[in-house]
Amino acid sequence: MIPVSFEYYRANTLDEALELVKKFGDEAKVLAGGQSLIPMLKLRFARYSKIIDIGRLQELRYIKEEGGQIRIGGLTKHREVEKSSLIKEKVPVLSACASEIADVQVRNMGTIAGSLSHADPSADYPPTMLALGATMVARGSKGSREIPADNFFVGTFTTALEPDELLVEVRVPVIKNNERAAYMKIGHPATGFAIVNCAVKFSLRDGKIEGARVAFGGFVTVPYRDTRVENLLAGKDVSLDTLKRASELVGEDQDIIGDYYADADYRRSLAKALFVKVARSALGV
C-alpha cells in the first residue's frame, strides 16, 4: 500500500529536530531508522501530516563508557549495539539482546531510541533495559531529563516521553563482577516478535541471590519488572528448586495478552518456563 501523503522534513541538527517537533506537535511523527514507522505508514495504521527525519544526526550515534555506565546515542543502530566490543565486554547481555532483533537488514537500519520510543510490548529491548536498570535521557523544549527504565514504559506503544521530547541517549550500568545477567525470548516464527521474552540480572554474595531484577515482555500489554518473583528470590540459595518456586509467581495480577496464536494461559505457562531457562543460563545451575 501507499502511505497517506505527508510533508517531509529532514533535520540537520538535534536543535533543529527539537524545534520542528515543538512546532508541529501531534501533527508530526519522528522518523529514525524507520523499521517500525514505515510499515505502519504503508499499511495506514498510522497517519501523520508531517514526518521529521532525524536519521542523519551523527551526533546521536555513539557508544562510550563513562562513570560506570555505557552511554549509547539514540540513533545507534541495533547492529552496532550487537557488534560493539565495548558492550560485549561490559554488558554482554545487551549485545545478545540486540542480536535477537528481527534480521540483519532490520538491525542495520533500526535504532535503539526508535525501538524504545515505539514501545512495542513484544520488542526485545524493554525487558532487558528494565532488568539492567537503564536510564533514558530525553531532551525537549525544557531541556534534558533522565527517566529510569522502570518509569519509561507506561502503556502499549506508550512511553513517558512528552510530546516535544526525543529520546537522545540510553545509559546502561556496567555489569559488576558479582552480577550475572541473561536474556531470551520465544519468538513468533513468522515475525520474530516475542510471544514471551525475559531478562534477568542477579547480584550474588556467598552463594546466595543478594538481589534480583526480573523483567518480562511479549505476553503482557506493558513490559514490566516482576517484583513478586524478585522478592521471593532475594536472600535465597542459588538452586534450581529456588527458581522453580519463583516461577510460579510469574505474571500474577498482570494483563496477559491472548490471541489466535497463543491464548493467555498458554503464554503465562511459557513465561514461567522461560524464566527458569533464562535464570539458569545466567546463574549456571
Side-chain angles (χ1 to χ4, degrees), residues 3 6 15 19 35 56 67 89 91 142 157 186 202 208 212 216 231 243 255 267 278 283:
F6 55 81
D15 287 341
E19 283 296 322
Q35 300 307 289
R56 294 172 177 81
E89 177 187 358
V91 197
K142 298 178 182 178
F157 299 105
I186 299 172
F202 299 108
K208 294 183 181 294
F216 292 94
N231 292 337
L243 300 179
D255 185 7
R267 286 177 190 261
V278 71
L283 295 169

Side-chain angles (χ1 to χ4, degrees), residues 196-210:
V196 176
N197 56 357
C198 176
V200 300
K201 184 173 80 170
F202 299 108
S203 301
L204 307 177
R205 186 181 296 276
D206 300 326
K208 294 183 181 294
I209 300 171
E210 185 178 36

Side-chain angles (χ1 to χ4, degrees), residues 102 144 167 169:
S144 298
L167 177 57
E169 184 177 272

Side-chain angles (χ1 to χ4, degrees), residues 88-201:
K88 285 183 177 181
E89 177 187 358
K90 301 294 185 176
V91 197
V93 65
L94 183 55
S95 174
C97 172
S99 73
E100 293 287 330
I101 297 173
D103 51 38
V104 172
Q105 292 91 330
V106 170
R107 295 198 294 275
N108 278 331
M109 291 296 296
T111 65
I112 189 168
S115 177
L116 289 168
S117 298
H118 187 56
D120 190 315
S122 297
D124 291 276
Y125 282 134
T128 305
M129 295 302 171
L130 289 166
L132 291 174
T135 299
M136 315 304 176
V137 180
R139 189 177 301 176
S141 59
K142 298 178 182 178
S144 298
R145 68 184 179 112
E146 298 180 1
I147 309 170
D150 287 354
N151 301 330
F152 188 74
F153 305 102
V154 299
T156 304
F157 299 105
T158 308
T159 72
L161 290 171
E162 296 293 338
D164 67 339
E165 287 183 324
L166 296 177
L167 177 57
V168 297
E169 184 177 272
V170 179
R171 297 175 183 170
V172 182
V174 168
I175 298 292
K176 299 175 182 177
N177 291 335
N178 70 322
E179 294 178 337
R180 304 291 184 271
Y183 168 79
M184 292 182 184
K185 75 174 176 181
I186 299 172
H188 191 289
T191 66
F193 280 108
I195 301 167
V196 176
N197 56 357
C198 176
V200 300
K201 184 173 80 170

